[in-house]
Amino acid sequence: MSIHIAAKNGEIAEAILLPGDPLRAQFIAETYLENAKRYNDVRNMFGFTGTYKGKPVSVQGTGMGIPSISIYTHELFRDYGVKRAIRIGTAGAIQKTVKLRDMVLAQSACTDSAANRFRFGGRDYAPTASWKLLKAAWEAAAAKGWEPAVGSVVSTDIFYSGDEWKLWAEYGCLAMEMETAELYTVAAKFGREALGILTISDSLVSGETTGAAERQSAFTRMMEVALETAVS
Ligand code: HPA
């Protein structure tokens, strides 16, 4: 038991998928995992463990934003020995070249959050993906004929933040989301591997958004890449 996760020791796998939405965690467990068992319902932040291609995999909702994913990842790494954590989530494109439903592998994550300024006493830290997981995800996608964009994303604290995205876009960032910088930082603190895999659900450049049905098929691609990466 940790404060926010009710699992017993050994009930969470070393490899874990981290969607923001706990109902997406349930969908993944029901759709892709064999013998999935729910180990957490504290705050309805569901977590499940089962097997994928015979290997143990867990999937845990994290909630939205840096403070929420910070709590769950800290407890997963510190109290449950999670070794490989793969966030799967949505993001808003901030480059013209990044289109709706595209998959993005977050090589690094900039942020406007004060979390790391606080943690590092005003110094800058560069939250970076695990190279091993990034390479595995790229290869898993390529094997299915998909070519994700790879680059820096921005983990913002403010979903409704006006034109702030334009400055990040000028410096080459691909998309805005709200969690990856903290995932990478907490994983680094505990010496673990982490990767953010994102699907573009909307574009801040064009103002377009995806409908629920088309989102589902794009999400399916991302989940398959994440699962292959988890067991790689
Ligand atoms: N901004 C921040 N987070 C997001 C967005 C966005 O436009 N789209 C999906 N997650």
Side-chain angles (χ1 to χ4, degrees), residues 35-195:
N35 304 315
K37 179 174 172 279
R38 192 170 74 197
Y39 62 73
N40 191 52
D41 61 3
V42 177
R43 289 178 179 254
N44 285 336
M45 201 57 84
F46 303 136
F48 302 82
T49 299
T51 60
Y52 180 74
K53 297 191 172 172
K55 295 187 181 167
V57 173
S58 295
V59 54
Q60 169 70 54
T62 66
M64 288 184 282
I66 279 174
S68 188
I69 196 168
S70 186
I71 290 169
Y72 290 102
T73 51
H74 195 103
E75 293 180 15
L76 289 168
F77 294 136
R78 184 193 62 188
D79 302 326
Y80 294 101
V82 165
K83 295 209 166 119
R84 291 186 301 288
I86 302 161
R87 159 164 159 71
I88 47 177
T90 57
I94 60 173
Q95 299 287 345
K96 268 205 234 96
T97 51
V98 181
K99 308 288 190 197
L100 293 190
R101 298 177 294 281
D102 279 2
M103 197 184 320
V104 174
L105 305 182
Q107 185 173 16
S108 59
C110 304
T111 184
D112 54 32
S113 164
N116 273 350
R117 262 174 271 145
F118 171 70
R119 209 182 243 123
F120 292 96
R123 298 167 183 84
D124 286 329
Y125 175 73
T128 307
S130 148
W131 164 242
K132 245 162 87 175
L133 294 185
L134 181 62
K135 182 166 177 283
W138 172 266
E139 289 171 353
K144 292 173 183 288
W146 305 327
E147 193 172 325
V150 182
S152 195
V153 302
V154 183
S155 303
T156 184
D157 271 354
I158 305 184
F159 186 92
Y160 297 106
S161 60
D163 279 350
E164 189 212 15
W165 64 271
K166 289 182 179 167
L167 178 61
W168 297 111
E170 220 177 287
Y171 283 78
C173 297
L174 301 176
M176 306 285 285
E177 52 87 70
M178 302 187 72
E179 294 83 13
T180 299
E182 183 68 5
L183 167 65
Y184 289 178
T185 305
V186 179
K189 178 181 163 72
F190 289 99
R192 311 297 162 79
E193 313 263 358
L195 177 67

